[in-house]
Amino acid sequence: MTTTSVTTSGSEEYTLLRLSSANGPVYRKIKIAPLRDARPDEIPLIDISGIYSTSLDDRKAVAAQIHNAATNNGFFYVKDHGIDDSVIRAAYESSLEFFRQPDEVKQKVNAELSPCLNGWKPPKTQRINEAESIDVRETFSFRYNPTYDPAVVGNLELIPAETRESLVTNEFCWENTTNLPNLKKDIINYWRSTLGLARQLTRSFALALSLPETDLDSKITYPDAGVGLNYYPSIPPSSSDSEEQVSIGSHTDFQLFTILWQDSNGGLQVLNREGEWINAAPIEGTFVVNIGDYLQRITNDRYISTVHRARNLSGKERISMPMFFGFNLNETCGVLDSCVDEEHPRKYEPISCKEWVELRVKAMHTTE
């Protein structure tokens, strides 16, 4: 990740990290400092049980905490989130069962064979950041499918035509994993649970941004909401001292926000406001939530989409299960009026979510 070394007037040494963005490469200064765990003021732990309260004051109290975290480092833990541990545990165990299969078995569900890139991506096939190593991981992805959305089931014929073209309804990733009878059930249950949480959190973000609580509901009827199962073998000790060797390279997320479950082995690292890598260490019973680029854009940069990466140096295999959540792909959104005033003029023009995601994907997979 290092392109050059610089020294500030205060004699602190930095390296430069190159990142892809929708507008071309951008650079961040990285302070050369020992890796440490995040402090509570950097990645706070928020009890979000109040989002389910019948009291608006309770819901606003949670929204205020989320707002503070979103304007700081853009990362926070959530506990008392309403998702039963048995749902998470089943998805985790089914994920391990899938990834521990021989590659020739997983090859049947290779995402390159899928009409919508759902399915498995083998080791040494992904490189999120071209300035760092090929990602030391393999993945299984499942995009939003209205067939399994509890809010849509039984009403597929009501989906608007302008929305329908962006939706996935094929069964490739499930038809080719029938040798694991629990995989589909467990992963869809996890996806449904995190989808429900994401919709509830969207209302919290609306409150946090001084909008009516349901103001964004119409934009998440058929959301860009996919689960990615990540399998990280431990980075070999012989290469663990190389900063370029990563489990997943340095990046920011595309859409509104991400809800991440991680196992106890750790490895998630976040770039704080001072340019230091800090550990988002696992906390039992929590998810990690982080802001995405589109939410930063429509909040006029009020909310922070923070650079992060993973380096599994635990000596054990690691699983993470992120839900990437965003507006319906056919939706277009500009900077929210509540984020504009005389001191903060509107920075960005409206852009559709589909166009935004396509720009980010193109940038991420373009090498020079």
Side-chain angles (χ1 to χ4, degrees):
M1 75 178 181
T2 305
T3 58
T4 187
S5 180
V6 299
T7 304
T8 69
S9 58
S11 299
E12 290 182 320
E13 288 189 330
Y14 292 84
T15 58
L16 286 180
L17 174 65
R18 185 183 190 273
L19 299 161
S20 63
S21 78
N23 301 309
V26 295
Y27 295 85
R28 302 288 177 85
K29 283 185 177 181
I30 310 296
K31 186 185 295 185
I32 299 176
L35 185 68
R36 61 175 175 81
D37 288 347
R39 300 187 306 266
D41 63 298
E42 293 174 309
I43 306 181
L45 173 59
I46 303 175
D47 179 343
I48 63 167
S49 57
I51 68 176
Y52 302 107
S53 172
T54 57
S55 165
L56 179 58
D57 287 342
D58 289 347
R59 300 196 300 275
K60 283 184 174 180
V62 176
Q65 294 180 71
I66 290 174
H67 179 80
N68 289 338
T71 55
N72 184 18
N73 281 313
F75 266 77
F76 53 98
Y77 299 95
V78 296
K79 67 174 184 176
D80 295 331
H81 41 69
I83 297 179
D84 195 276
D85 184 64
S86 64
V87 172
I88 298 169
R89 182 57 49 180
Y92 166 69
E93 291 175 354
S94 281
S95 296
L96 277 179
E97 186 179 21
F98 172 81
F99 288 117
R100 286 172 174 171
Q101 297 178 111
D103 284 0
E104 57 266 27
V105 176
K106 292 179 284 189
Q107 182 62 31
K108 297 176 182 178
V109 70
N110 192 314
E112 293 296 328
L113 304 175
S114 167
C116 58
L117 298 181
N118 271 359
W120 179 61
K121 290 185 180 179
K124 300 182 180 180
T125 60
Q126 299 176 82
R127 190 174 196 158
I128 292 297
N129 190 313
E130 64 181 358
E132 297 168 326
S133 73
I134 291 175
D135 297 349
V136 183
R137 66 167 175 152
E138 53 187 281
T139 63
F140 181 95
S141 300
F142 169 63
R143 292 174 56 196
Y144 176 83
N145 185 332
T147 304
Y148 301 108
D149 184 349
V152 179
V153 170
N155 294 293
L156 295 177
E157 70 282 356
L158 301 180
I159 299 175
E162 65 270 18
T163 303
R164 202 176 287 272
E165 65 180 28
S166 299
L167 301 181
V168 173
T169 55
N170 75 76
E171 294 288 302
F172 171 82
C173 61
W174 308 128
E175 291 171 348
N176 292 282
T177 53
T178 54
N179 62 305
L180 301 177
N182 292 323
L183 183 72
K184 177 180 178 179
K185 170 180 65 70
D186 292 341
I187 301 308
I188 287 180
N189 280 346
Y190 178 81
W191 176 80
R192 282 174 167 162
S193 297
T194 53
L195 176 62
L197 175 59
R199 282 178 164 141
Q200 199 69 34
L201 283 174
T202 301
R203 292 187 170 188
S204 296
F205 279 111
L207 288 175
L209 292 164
S210 302
L211 300 172
E213 188 173 19
T214 59
D215 200 60
L216 302 176
D217 283 8
S218 64
K219 296 182 180 297
I220 55 171
T221 48
Y222 313 99
D224 181 19
V227 161
L229 309 175
N230 292 312
Y231 178 82
Y232 300 111
S234 185
I235 293 174
S238 59
S239 57
S240 64
D241 58 348
S242 169
E243 275 294 300
E244 287 75 24
Q245 191 73 20
V246 291
S247 299
I248 180 172
S250 305
H251 65 285
T252 54
D253 292 343
F254 295 176
Q255 266 261 33
L256 293 181
F257 55 87
T258 302
I259 300 171
L260 172 78
W261 182 86
Q262 57 177 333
D263 70 16
S264 61
N265 293 323
L268 176 61
Q269 299 177 359
V270 175
L271 189 63
N272 70 9
R273 302 293 286 273
E274 287 71 47
E276 299 173 313
W277 285 116
I278 55 177
N279 286 320
I283 299 177
E284 187 175 355
T286 71
F287 289 101
V288 179
V289 178
N290 65 278
I291 306 303
D293 292 347
Y294 199 80
L295 186 53
Q296 175 169 320
R297 181 186 177 96
I298 66 174
T299 59
N300 218 26
D301 293 341
R302 178 177 293 185
Y303 286 1
I304 307 299
S305 178
T306 296
V307 178
H308 54 286
R309 67 182 184 181
R311 300 189 76 222
N312 178 21
L313 305 175
S314 68
K316 304 174 183 178
E317 59 191 350
R318 175 180 186 258
I319 291 285
S320 73
M321 303 188 296
M323 155 65 86
F324 302 103
F325 188 76
F327 291 151
N328 303 354
L329 286 172
N330 64 299
E331 289 288 341
T332 294
C333 192
V335 172
L336 300 169
D337 290 342
S338 63
C339 297
V340 177
D341 55 35
E342 290 185 3
E343 295 182 2
H344 303 91
R346 199 177 305 271
K347 294 182 180 181
Y348 305 109
E349 295 298 318
I351 187 171
S352 76
C353 289
K354 182 178 181 180
E355 182 181 355
W356 177 256
V357 170
E358 288 175 347
L359 283 172
R360 282 300 321 271
V361 169
K362 180 180 179 181
M364 185 165 282
H365 291 86
T366 297
T367 57
E368 297 177 358

